[in-house]
Amino acid sequence: MSQEDDDDRMPDDLEAVLEAADEAEQQRKGRYDAPPLPPLLILAVVGLLCGFATIALVWLSERGCERFRDTTNCGALGLPLLVLIVVVTVVLGGLVLSRLAMPHPRLISFLGVAFMVALVVAFLTGHLDSPWIIAVVPALTAITFLLANLVARLLERADA
């Protein structure tokens, strides 16, 4: 065999090479190319967005209850609406973090929103009708996303 015959031959593990290329393409598909930003800045901004989304969804649910029940109290629908708001916020945060190629996007989003809800229920329940809550909840969510990232990194280190 000559050198030209070796170059024209297909590799024996062509299927493995094609599968690896397909997997690499699927991993790149759903991610946006963006200038590199510090991960903590990304987490804080996504936390702010999730906080504002939570405030907006709660406001919309109150307006809906007010329209249909003539009161901002949703009654028996209140708890399911709040659970739905939390789920939507977790999914939204996880999608944004995964699009920005952050490690553990769904875990960080879940923990960040869960920590925020726990702190709001524990300390801010009596002040939810105050106007300053519009600034406090997003800032608190940004902090809890940073805390969730720390917890996720510690869990990752514990697994190794």
Side-chain angles (χ1 to χ4, degrees), residues 6 9 11 39 49 53 66 70 74 84 96 124 127-128 132 151 160:
D6 285 339
R9 257 185 33 200
L49 292 175
E66 186 176 10
D70 293 329
C74 294
L84 180 66
V96 172
L124 299 175
H127 306 287
L128 292 177
W132 54 267
V151 170

Side-chain angles (χ1 to χ4, degrees), residues 9-155:
R9 257 185 33 200
M10 297 286 267
D12 293 334
D13 58 342
L14 181 60
E15 285 183 41
V17 171
L18 291 175
E19 287 177 8
D22 285 343
E23 289 175 7
E25 180 64 29
Q26 286 176 354
Q27 288 176 350
R28 279 182 279 172
K29 247 182 191 173
R31 295 194 177 162
Y32 297 114
D33 290 334
L37 296 173
L40 296 180
L41 177 64
I42 292 172
L43 289 167
V45 169
V46 172
L48 280 172
L49 292 175
C50 286
F52 282 120
T54 302
I55 294 288
L57 291 171
V58 167
W59 183 81
L60 286 172
S61 69
E62 285 179 352
R63 297 297 78 77
C65 289
E66 186 176 10
R67 181 175 177 136
F68 293 111
R69 296 186 51 151
D70 293 329
T71 178
T72 57
N73 183 352
C74 294
L77 290 176
L79 183 61
L81 277 173
L82 286 176
V83 170
L84 180 66
I85 289 169
V86 168
V87 168
V88 167
T89 306
V90 168
V91 170
L92 175 71
L95 283 173
V96 172
L97 289 175
S98 68
R99 293 287 185 172
L100 293 172
M102 291 296 295
H104 313 293
R106 290 176 296 279
L107 176 64
I108 291 173
S109 179
F110 174 76
L111 290 176
V113 172
F115 292 161
M116 179 269 299
V117 168
L119 290 172
V120 166
V121 167
F123 300 111
L124 299 175
T125 302
H127 306 287
L128 292 177
D129 56 351
S130 299
W132 54 267
I133 206 76
I134 295 171
V136 170
V137 169
L140 182 64
T141 310
I143 293 168
T144 58
F145 266 61
L146 294 170
L147 181 65
N149 181 50
L150 176 67
V151 170
R153 287 182 25 216
L154 288 174
L155 288 173

